[in-house]
Amino acid sequence: MASVLVVEDDQFVRSALIRQLTDASHTVRSVGTALEALREVAHFRFDVVVLDLGLPDLDGSEALKMLRGITDVPVIIATARDDETEIVRLLNAGADDYLTKPFSVEHLSARMAAVLRRSRSGAGETAPSPVIRVGGLTVDPLRRQAELDGARLDLTRREFDLLAFLAGRPGVVVPRKELLAEVWQQSYGDDQTIDVHLSWLRRKLGETAARPRYLHTLRGVGVKLEPPAEQTPHAPGAEPPR
């Protein structure tokens, strides 16, 4: 069963969710504000967060952005808002799924199970992959670790997935639609989702869009990762060219 953080300011709804999730053998903690939620995920490990949007101190969409800055935990949005544009925006901003209120605990449990299956699958339950080396960049998909010139990179789950996907295709221009499908598991979305994550990733690689080293954007085409001009890639485990 899962360890769940319920972020909900309505005491009646919160109590019902706690009782029903606990009855379903989940371990549950709950808070009523965004700031309390941030403190919880900073101090405890959760399998999934159920996040209400109508919080008293901060809108849930802003809370989602802040959560994504400090944790990769799957987030399911619980909302009374059913506007498709808003839902798509939240998914692009880092939500893993959403539920429109009112919903049953059985429906929530099913969504949680689906999100956790995707999360665990992406965390290395498939066959081991070889370590990828591109220039001074090393990506280990099995251990989900990346280094640049020997220094460990502190990446979020989505940043690592994006880096590993591109590094596994050095020099190949990957269309944005393919990135959305393979990294975000979404068949549609806007370019802002990719641009934001590329910006964060570039910052951690010590580069900018204006002065790229590894990540190169071809406007209207896609994105590619290749070693800096003074370096060339070599196969995993092979001696670098002399």
Side-chain angles (χ1 to χ4, degrees):
M1 294 294 103
S3 172
V4 186
L5 174 64
V6 173
V7 187
E8 168 65 63
D9 69 316
D10 186 309
Q11 187 61 49
F12 177 79
V13 174
R14 197 162 95 200
S15 297
L17 282 175
I18 293 170
R19 182 177 65 255
Q20 293 170 346
L21 287 171
T22 301
D23 288 345
S25 301
H26 297 295
T27 301
V28 186
R29 293 178 66 90
S30 69
V31 293
T33 68
L35 292 181
E36 288 176 314
L38 292 170
R39 283 195 290 268
E40 285 288 306
V41 298
H43 290 91
F44 299 97
R45 182 178 180 85
F46 296 98
D47 294 314
V48 65
V49 173
V50 180
L51 176 65
D52 177 42
L53 292 184
L55 300 173
D57 58 337
L58 197 64
D59 185 78
S61 61
E62 293 300 316
L64 174 62
K65 291 179 184 178
M66 297 177 73
L67 283 170
R68 277 291 163 257
I70 62 174
T71 181
D72 297 330
V73 63
V75 175
I76 298 176
I77 298 293
T79 175
R81 308 172 194 176
D82 59 0
D83 179 69
E84 182 177 339
T85 301
E86 174 72 0
I87 290 169
V88 170
R89 186 179 68 82
L90 290 166
L91 291 171
N92 286 335
D96 293 87
D97 205 344
Y98 73 95
L99 282 170
T100 303
K101 295 178 179 179
F103 52 81
S104 67
V105 71
E106 290 80 9
H107 192 178
L108 174 59
S109 292
R111 292 295 185 96
M112 284 169 47
V115 164
L116 290 171
R117 281 196 301 270
R118 294 198 299 267
S119 175
R120 288 163 182 166
S121 174
E125 291 189 353
T126 55
S129 301
V131 174
I132 303 166
R133 294 183 177 87
V134 182
L137 184 65
T138 302
V139 181
D140 187 336
L142 181 59
R143 293 182 174 82
R144 295 187 65 79
Q145 294 178 2
E147 295 181 353
L148 179 61
D149 298 328
R152 177 83 171 270
L153 294 173
D154 183 15
L155 303 176
T156 66
R157 176 168 59 92
R158 195 74 77 187
E159 288 167 355
F160 181 88
D161 291 343
L162 177 58
L163 179 64
F165 188 79
L166 291 171
R169 298 154 182 79
V172 176
V173 179
V174 181
R176 289 169 178 266
K177 184 176 181 180
E178 184 177 348
L179 287 177
L180 282 171
E182 297 296 333
V183 179
W184 277 266
Q185 289 83 49
Q186 295 179 21
S187 58
Y188 60 89
D190 56 37
D191 286 352
Q192 185 178 6
T193 299
I194 297 173
D195 289 338
V196 168
H197 284 82
L198 282 173
S199 177
W200 292 340
L201 193 51
R202 281 193 176 102
R203 191 179 310 160
K204 293 179 181 181
L205 293 175
E207 61 182 67
T208 65
R211 298 177 65 87
R213 295 186 66 237
Y214 285 90
L215 294 171
H216 301 265
T217 300
L218 281 72
R219 188 177 298 276
V221 182
V223 183
K224 69 176 178 178
L225 184 147
E226 61 184 9
E230 68 274 11
Q231 295 177 298
T232 57
H234 55 280
E239 289 295 323
R242 299 182 183 277

